[in-house]
Amino acid sequence: MKTTTSDMGRNRTGVATSPIDSADIIQEAEKHQPSHLGDGSLLLQVRQLYARESEGLGSVPPPASLKGVAKTAVDALKGSKPTVFIDKLGERLAFERSGTRLYEGALAKFDVYGGWEGGPTREGLEKIYNDELSHFLMLTEALKSLGADPTAVTPSAEVTAVVSQGLPMLIADPRANLRQSLEALLVAELTDNACWEMLIELARDLGHDTLADRFQLALDSEGQHLLWVRGWLAAGVSEEARGAPAGEKRAGTQPRV
Amino acid sequence: MALDILQEKGVPLDKQVFTWKDLVRRPYSKLDDDAFTRVCVIYMNGIMADALRTKHAFARMNRELREPLAMIRRLEQYEQTLINWLNPPDQTPLETTLGFEQVAIEVTASVALREPDPYLAQTYRFGLLEDFDHLYRYSALYDRLEGKDPNTITQSYTDIIPGRPTSVEHRHPVDDLRRPYDKRTAHPLTKLHAMSITASENQTHDYYMTVGPFFSDPVARQLYAEIASIEEQHTSMYESLLDPGESMLERWLLHEAMEVYNFYSCVAFEKNPRIKEIWQRFLDYELGQLHYVKEIFQRVEKRDAAEVLPSTLPEPIGFKEHRDFVRKTLNQEEDMASNGQDYVRMADLPRDHRSYIWRDQLNSDGSPSETVAAGYKWIPGTELAARTPRMGSTFEGKKVH
């Protein structure tokens, strides 16, 4: 088990690892001209060509209930596009559901590594886990109330899943210790905060004030999560940088709930 | 000390056992382990994939050998799993690809240098220059797609410069076939070499075919399609070196000897004790398998295995850099082409040659390998590091925005 993250060792990735070989290959690379003219923009031009031919990632499914059909028809008459809200609700639902798994993984790491001065506690991680799970529930209910299918993967849910695919990967990697895993939680919480804010604005714009009020409660707790995770991570980095003894299992800091 | 494979009995089959925990071990470190540790892992995964592939083909065409083939295949599938699972999860498919090309360059160079048959040696040099170019193309992709330096994977062992351009490597299928060695007269090392490089290239093809669709960028998807196609050509080329007159059992016996030879080579190279122990264990397993097959060979074919097998193994494969050899080969043979089974200078092929027609058709809608590396020159720290000096120093007055 390795509790520290930044020890000096045999890292071989830089050119300074083997100065003689490196000087030799650098000199050889300088001598050879590229086989074809141009630059990196050609790659982007091909991407643009394909983008023009693209039909996107997929679609929002049709309403799952009669109530949804009626609601869609009413919204359409009012001149709005109800699928945008469904798409973004689907995104939040997927992110919160995956977020719950991230905290499960973090708790498993906490049991192995323990906390540190100013670091996470089991209670703190469990609190966030429960919050994420309750947000998932709230979004499921919100989608159902609009007659939409909460089990569907909407295009925005897919986008967010692609963007954040490294998060569960790092949390699940046993070689990444708890402090390193907090980096993944920080990215998740930063995204969570920005996306809840935008979802609330969208809900108010579309006249879903009751939902927007509920979402505000979620945003309030996400703000707290971000403060905690950022604080835990900063404390962990400073502790190691100060050369504080590592490897012993210590309790973290009780969050002020 | 040379290994006498007829005397060393290795581990008997019933003692070759595994558990899931044993199969799924702590991987090597992408950051700290030597590039040649990755080379050995990727290469030996290819050798064992071919062990399975070959035995599946045998089993589909031979009733009597089905049971012993199934026995050996199962053990080798476990070996392959343990080896392949040594690749770490933070090593992306593109990074593993850079490793595949380093295998294709350095292992083929070692083989080309030691191959006793000049025609086969030329074939290895011919293929080597093409894989050498693939490393350059994938390096450009890695740099331009992700802003990362390919040399962090190849670790200054291997040049990152153009070889025989990938866009001219596309040939008519008939121009990829070569003359096989003669099983009666070929040096045993010639047979081991041909089977090893065939295995390695076949796995490279299969890997690119598997990971190519995982990429989002269309040029990346095209480049994997293009280079996978060359690896299919290389597989056809190298496997055509094998004498089709060898009996199934003779080929099986030689394949086991080839596996022994390659594990033996890894044991000789490996510095990481945790990985070396695996190579030693599988060397002993493969010796056990070789003797199991040897018994069947002698019983069925009623001849001495010593007629087919070398008693002692040749020098191990050189898992090391071969820059001088590769540069010299590039300098002298970049413009080689093939006309059927013969090597010619590209300029000597008539413009209406079937391989030109084949290549021009494929490239008529643009060339992925030319697009990805247009104007690309590798420098340490990515090509963006060449752009920044023009901005001036942020420590000496340049305003940071």
Side-chain angles (χ1 to χ4, degrees):
Chain A
M1 180 172 98
K2 188 155 176 61
T3 55
T4 53
T5 61
S6 313
D7 300 321
M8 194 183 294
R10 302 179 67 181
N11 185 310
R12 295 171 195 265
T13 56
V15 283
T17 307
S18 45
I20 295 169
D21 282 334
S22 297
D24 185 47
I25 66 164
I26 290 166
Q27 192 182 30
E28 190 68 12
E30 280 170 358
K31 280 198 298 200
H32 287 260
Q33 289 308 309
S35 58
H36 300 91
L37 296 174
D39 57 29
S41 67
L42 298 188
L43 180 144
L44 301 174
Q45 285 171 24
V46 174
R47 201 183 295 170
Q48 288 168 334
L49 174 73
Y50 274 75
R52 289 189 190 98
E53 296 170 355
S54 161
E55 294 188 349
L57 286 174
S59 60
V60 177
S65 68
L66 282 176
K67 187 177 155 195
V69 174
K71 174 103 186 70
T72 303
V74 170
D75 283 350
L77 279 175
K78 285 197 283 188
S80 64
K81 188 176 173 187
T83 46
V84 174
F85 194 43
I86 303 294
D87 184 26
K88 299 305 279 182
L89 285 171
E91 170 201 309
R92 282 291 68 227
L93 179 146
F95 201 81
E96 295 289 333
R97 188 171 54 192
S98 297
T100 310
R101 295 295 188 193
L102 298 183
Y103 281 92
E104 272 183 354
L107 276 160
K109 286 201 169 158
F110 181 82
D111 290 343
V112 175
Y113 294 100
W116 51 84
E117 191 66 42
T121 59
R122 169 157 267 284
E123 294 73 21
L125 291 167
E126 278 173 350
K127 160 86 171 73
I128 305 182
Y129 164 85
N130 283 317
D131 288 350
E132 303 286 335
L133 190 61
S134 72
H135 298 168
F136 163 50
L137 169 67
M138 177 172 65
L139 288 155
T140 303
E141 291 172 331
L143 277 160
K144 281 184 180 165
S145 76
L146 297 169
D149 179 358
T151 67
V153 179
T154 68
S156 288
E158 183 64 5
V159 166
T160 308
V162 170
V163 167
S164 59
Q165 58 188 335
L167 307 184
M169 193 174 159
L170 186 84
I171 295 278
D173 190 336
R175 301 169 308 157
N177 65 23
L178 181 59
R179 206 201 83 192
Q180 288 167 320
S181 300
L182 283 172
E183 303 278 1
L185 301 181
L186 179 65
V187 171
E189 295 298 349
L190 284 165
T191 304
D192 256 340
N193 274 270
C195 291
W196 274 113
E197 281 172 12
M198 290 191 287
L199 186 66
I200 291 166
E201 285 167 22
L202 181 64
R204 294 219 185 276
D205 280 355
L206 296 174
H208 295 290
D209 286 329
T210 314
L211 281 178
D213 291 345
R214 281 188 201 151
F215 294 167
Q216 183 61 47
L217 297 175
L219 176 60
D220 293 345
S221 68
E222 294 293 356
Q224 195 180 41
H225 300 170
L226 179 56
L227 280 176
W228 285 350
V229 169
R230 201 187 143 120
W232 294 335
L233 180 56
V237 175
S238 316
E239 183 183 69
E240 187 171 338
R242 285 196 313 272
E248 60 197 79
K249 217 167 161 176
R250 278 177 291 151
T253 299
Q254 196 72 11
R256 287 185 292 274
V257 180
Chain B
M1 203 178 73
L3 184 73
D4 185 340
I5 60 173
L6 294 172
Q7 290 304 316
E8 296 289 338
K9 298 281 193 272
V11 175
L13 299 197
D14 60 354
K15 297 281 188 293
Q16 299 187 13
V17 293
F18 302 86
T19 68
W20 304 121
K21 177 69 169 53
D22 174 32
L23 291 178
V24 180
R25 292 171 168 223
R26 187 152 50 93
Y28 63 81
S29 167
K30 183 178 98 177
L31 307 183
D32 289 5
D33 270 303
D34 192 280
F36 278 100
T37 293
R38 174 176 28 250
V39 161
C40 284
V41 167
I42 291 173
Y43 176 59
M44 292 314 295
N45 176 59
I47 295 296
M48 298 317 290
D50 197 66
L52 284 157
R53 183 185 298 118
T54 304
K55 290 178 188 68
H56 275 299
F58 289 168
R60 289 167 201 182
M61 291 180 284
N62 187 301
R63 187 182 297 273
E64 288 71 31
L65 291 176
R66 277 166 33 150
E67 282 191 16
L69 283 164
M71 278 300 302
I72 300 291
R73 241 184 7 240
R74 182 62 60 85
L75 296 170
E76 292 183 330
Q77 200 272 348
Y78 295 141
E79 289 175 66
Q80 189 197 347
T81 304
L82 197 156
I83 295 165
N84 198 22
W85 265 235
L86 290 172
N87 286 302
D90 54 333
Q91 185 172 287
T92 65
L94 184 47
E95 289 166 341
T96 305
T97 296
L98 297 169
F100 263 96
E101 295 301 345
Q102 194 167 31
V103 168
I105 295 162
E106 304 298 356
V107 176
T108 311
S110 173
V111 163
L113 275 165
R114 291 169 185 182
E115 173 54 47
D117 182 317
Y119 177 72
L120 273 81
Q122 170 138 44
T123 301
Y124 298 128
R125 294 196 306 274
F126 183 77
L128 164 65
L129 292 185
E130 303 195 332
D131 287 316
F132 185 64
D133 191 72
H134 301 168
L135 176 65
Y136 168 72
R137 309 289 156 178
Y138 281 128
S139 293
L141 180 71
Y142 187 56
D143 188 337
R144 290 176 167 177
L145 211 56
E146 302 183 13
K148 294 178 191 160
D149 180 349
N151 190 53
T152 63
I153 300 295
T154 49
Q155 297 177 0
S156 297
Y157 286 119
T158 309
D159 280 320
I160 304 175
I161 54 174
R164 179 179 304 124
T166 298
S167 58
V168 307
E169 295 171 9
H170 308 292
R171 289 176 287 274
H172 188 281
V174 171
D175 291 322
D176 284 320
L177 300 179
R178 301 290 174 262
R179 276 189 294 281
Y181 61 71
D182 183 334
K183 65 170 180 168
R184 294 161 304 171
T185 55
H187 191 287
L189 183 58
T190 291
K191 301 178 184 180
L192 302 184
H193 279 164
M195 278 188 291
S196 299
I197 301 299
T198 300
S200 180
E201 293 290 311
N202 207 153
Q203 182 56 24
T204 309
H205 167 263
D206 291 359
Y207 185 75
Y208 296 167
M209 292 297 280
T210 304
V211 304
F214 285 107
F215 287 83
S216 56
D217 177 72
V219 171
R221 293 172 78 87
Q222 287 187 350
L223 186 66
Y224 271 88
E226 183 182 11
I227 297 184
S229 162
I230 303 294
E231 304 304 350
E232 164 60 18
Q233 289 184 222
H234 285 180
T235 305
S236 300
M237 176 171 82
Y238 291 127
E239 76 183 5
S240 70
L241 296 171
L242 304 170
D243 186 343
E246 285 167 348
S247 73
M248 212 173 269
L249 261 169
E250 183 171 353
R251 178 68 59 72
W252 185 7
L253 189 61
L254 283 166
H255 208 291
E256 295 300 334
M258 177 272 268
E259 294 156 30
V260 168
Y261 171 59
N262 281 300
F263 280 118
Y264 167 74
S265 299
C266 291
V267 171
F269 154 74
E270 187 59 63
K271 308 287 187 300
N272 180 334
R274 205 166 54 79
I275 309 289
K276 188 180 181 119
E277 176 256 318
I278 295 167
W279 302 140
Q280 182 64 55
R281 174 179 168 192
F282 288 169
L283 169 59
D284 294 338
Y285 281 19
E286 286 300 337
L287 282 166
Q289 294 169 20
L290 175 73
H291 283 275
Y292 176 80
V293 180
K294 188 184 107 181
E295 295 306 315
I296 301 172
F297 173 84
Q298 297 191 146
R299 180 163 41 80
V300 175
E301 300 223 343
K302 299 188 174 31
R303 52 184 179 137
D304 190 348
E307 289 174 26
V308 174
L309 295 176
S311 62
T312 56
L313 286 180
E315 283 293 294
I317 286 174
F319 292 112
K320 62 184 184 66
E321 60 87 11
H322 296 87
R323 290 196 300 276
D324 284 346
F325 173 69
V326 176
R327 288 172 191 173
K328 184 170 148 248
T329 306
L330 182 64
N331 190 37
Q332 295 175 350
E333 301 184 12
E334 183 194 330
D335 67 336
M336 296 302 285
S338 59
N339 184 18
Q341 300 176 345
D342 298 315
Y343 292 105
V344 294
R345 295 286 166 187
M346 219 173 271
D348 293 337
L349 282 183
R351 198 62 197 87
D352 61 352
H353 190 269
R354 62 193 169 208
S355 275
Y356 275 125
I357 294 169
W358 197 278
R359 174 219 294 185
D360 291 346
Q361 164 60 38
L362 279 165
N363 290 335
S364 61
D365 219 3
S367 162
S369 54
E370 290 178 11
T371 300
V372 76
Y376 185 73
K377 277 183 101 157
W378 172 79
I379 70 156
T382 81
E383 67 177 351
L384 293 180
R387 251 182 242 178
T388 50
R390 281 175 253 147
M391 304 174 83
S393 169
T394 57
F395 277 27
E396 290 167 15
K398 168 160 172 57
K399 203 170 161 191
V400 180
H401 298 280

